[in-house]
Amino acid sequence: AGMGRYSFFGSRPFATLSFQQGRVWIQEEGRSHTSSASPLCVLKDMLARYKIKDSPGLWPFLCGAVGFLSYDFGFSLEHFQKRHKTLDRVPELCFSFYDSVVAKDHHTDEVLIFSSGWPRSGVGRSRRAKERLDEMRQRLSRPAPAAGRQTEEFIDPRLVVPNFSRREYLEALRRVKAHIAAGDIYQLNLSQKFSARSSLDSWSLYRRLVQKFPVAFSAFFQEKDFSILSVSPELFLNCRGGVVTTRPMKGTRPRTGVARKDRLLKKELWSSAKEKAELLMVVDLERNDLGRVCDYRSIKVIHPRMIEAYRNVFQVTAQVQGRLHRAKDRVDLLHACFPGGSVTGCPKIRAMEIIEELEPHDRGIYTGSLGYLSFHDTMAFNILIRSIFREKDRLSFCVGGGIVADSVPSAEYEETLVKARALMQALTGRP
């Protein structure tokens, strides 16, 4: 399907848009101002100012807005009150606008440097495009720094601290099952949070992460005060040529590297009635979300269920597609589907309310989405799972799992630890 085919790198954005403390903040070429408008309306207006023409064979991203929506942004979209106070340092929405990008096609090893010249216009745009292109070519032509001996920096595993004890997590799981038995929800994603401190720089840690857990939808995003290091295997939304794709994941087993054990684990995962039911519910929710902005007859389940093998885990995935309605655009699509159903529950709003009751932490970026909206109408966003939030020397990440009526609490708790494994290995150096 071409997943993971391309990598993109951009620096020095010419504009940023963020939504924090109920206010939209915009910075453009050294000037800043605020707006009382909806952040998605502002995003839509800013994207409309900068366009490049599409053409056959054009790469999926050459310039555009790159950023994220935190899980908490979902509360703003649905207009209901959070129980936990949002951390002031984490915007609910943040996008940086890049006029120039370096792209690599991993299938052909081709590298493309693209410069659009935005936000200038006329002759000034052509001049800026050339200047930025020359600048990026010079940076790429510089010799790489000498690879001297470097000491790996790791964290003592005892200092990576969860905010749930095993007993507390199992009790929260039992409360989820009580909500299911009462008919409040059918399924819910419950998470726990791990925190630690490290002075290792974010880019070095991200490189270590992608070596430990190479995936198609990994991403690194850095702002002045924080960074996001994501090795997410899950696609939230892709839109190209009006065709929308979402790939929800439900069902995880460890991958041991021992062929016989792995065959048994895959068989167990594939035959699990619980995992089948959970994915079916989420697929139905995603079809419903897409139906709000896509031509309804165009929505199809392309792959109802398939197992994907990653370095540390096996994951069950489905794929749903639709065609965007001609009266809707990519921002409308984000609005209709965020946050992803695979990381909230069914029905989505009631599940989010119960998550607020049971989780003792602010999710922040976890189960939000990070990705791009290009200036030629393409879009791709991951689900922010297997992702670390970094602010100064503080690191945190969450891991969770979907709960249904026949979930076994002890097995669900162990599944969260399986999902944490790649992150823990990168942080601690321990298998």
Side-chain angles (χ1 to χ4, degrees), residues 135-334:
E135 173 193 323
M136 297 184 82
R137 290 175 63 184
Q138 288 173 12
R139 291 180 66 182
L140 287 175
S141 65
R142 292 173 193 160
R149 294 186 64 184
Q150 295 183 352
T151 303
E152 289 273 37
E153 180 183 329
F154 293 105
I155 302 170
D156 186 327
R158 294 170 296 181
L159 301 180
V160 184
V161 182
N163 68 336
F164 268 115
S165 67
R166 185 178 188 277
R167 179 186 59 79
E168 290 168 338
Y169 195 80
L170 294 180
E171 174 57 30
L173 287 170
R174 281 188 280 271
R175 292 174 63 187
V176 172
K177 293 190 71 174
H179 278 291
I180 294 172
D184 297 330
I185 50 172
Y186 305 108
Q187 187 262 1
L188 181 137
N189 180 280
L190 185 73
S191 71
Q192 60 173 320
K193 188 172 191 175
F194 290 81
S195 302
R197 289 180 179 269
S198 173
S199 59
L200 183 67
D201 76 80
S202 296
W203 180 249
S204 297
L205 180 55
Y206 174 70
R207 291 183 64 187
R208 188 191 294 172
L209 276 170
V210 294
Q211 289 168 359
K212 295 286 183 184
F213 195 63
V215 291
F217 306 111
S218 59
F220 178 84
F221 184 80
Q222 183 161 292
E223 279 289 314
K224 183 177 72 172
D225 299 322
F226 64 89
S227 52
I228 297 171
L229 297 65
S230 177
V231 284
S232 172
E234 184 169 356
L235 173 68
F236 174 41
L237 290 168
N238 180 284
C239 184
R240 189 171 187 183
V243 176
V244 178
T245 304
T246 184
R247 302 181 83 250
M249 283 185 164
K250 278 297 165 193
T252 307
R253 292 295 185 276
R255 188 178 183 188
T256 67
V258 178
R260 182 175 177 277
K261 286 184 179 179
D262 285 348
R263 282 196 298 271
L264 291 173
L265 287 164
K266 284 180 70 175
K267 183 177 180 181
E268 175 193 317
L269 178 58
W270 187 254
S271 60
S272 168
K274 177 260 182 187
E275 308 289 8
K276 288 178 184 176
E278 191 176 354
L279 185 61
L280 182 62
M281 280 186 263
V282 174
V283 166
D284 196 47
L285 188 155
E286 301 289 11
R287 290 174 63 238
N288 183 68
D289 282 351
L290 290 182
R292 298 164 68 183
V293 288
C294 290
D295 291 321
Y296 200 76
R297 286 178 295 182
S298 73
I299 300 169
K300 295 180 174 59
V301 180
I302 304 300
H303 297 293
R305 198 162 179 254
M306 52 191 170
I307 292 183
E308 296 178 340
Y310 295 90
R311 185 167 292 177
N312 301 89
V313 295
F314 295 108
Q315 296 269 186
V316 178
T317 305
Q319 184 167 319
V320 185
Q321 280 188 352
R323 178 165 288 279
L324 202 60
H325 192 278
R326 63 179 178 273
K328 302 294 182 179
D329 63 19
R330 298 166 297 164
V331 179
D332 297 323
L333 176 62
L334 275 176

Side-chain angles (χ1 to χ4, degrees), residues 3 29 51 61 79 88 91 100 142 146 175 241 281 291 320 347 354 361 392:
M3 294 183 300
E29 298 189 276
K51 291 283 187 181
F61 182 71
H79 307 292
D88 290 343
S100 305
R142 292 173 193 160
R175 292 174 63 187
M281 280 186 263
V320 185
I354 294 170
H361 53 275
K392 295 182 180 176

Side-chain angles (χ1 to χ4, degrees), residues 96-128:
S96 296
F97 288 71
Y98 294 90
D99 61 297
S100 305
V101 163
V102 177
K104 180 174 182 180
D105 183 335
H106 295 284
H107 285 190
T108 65
D109 274 341
E110 182 182 5
V111 174
L112 178 73
I113 310 170
F114 184 87
S115 181
S116 66
W118 293 119
R120 300 286 190 272
S121 58
V123 176
R125 182 180 170 195
S126 300
R127 187 181 302 118
R128 176 178 167 86

Side-chain angles (χ1 to χ4, degrees), residues 165 173 184 289 356 361 366 376 380 383 390 396 430:
S165 67
L173 287 170
D184 297 330
D289 282 351
E356 280 288 289
H361 53 275
Y366 173 66
H376 59 281
I383 293 281
R390 171 75 176 271
S396 64
R430 305 281 181 88

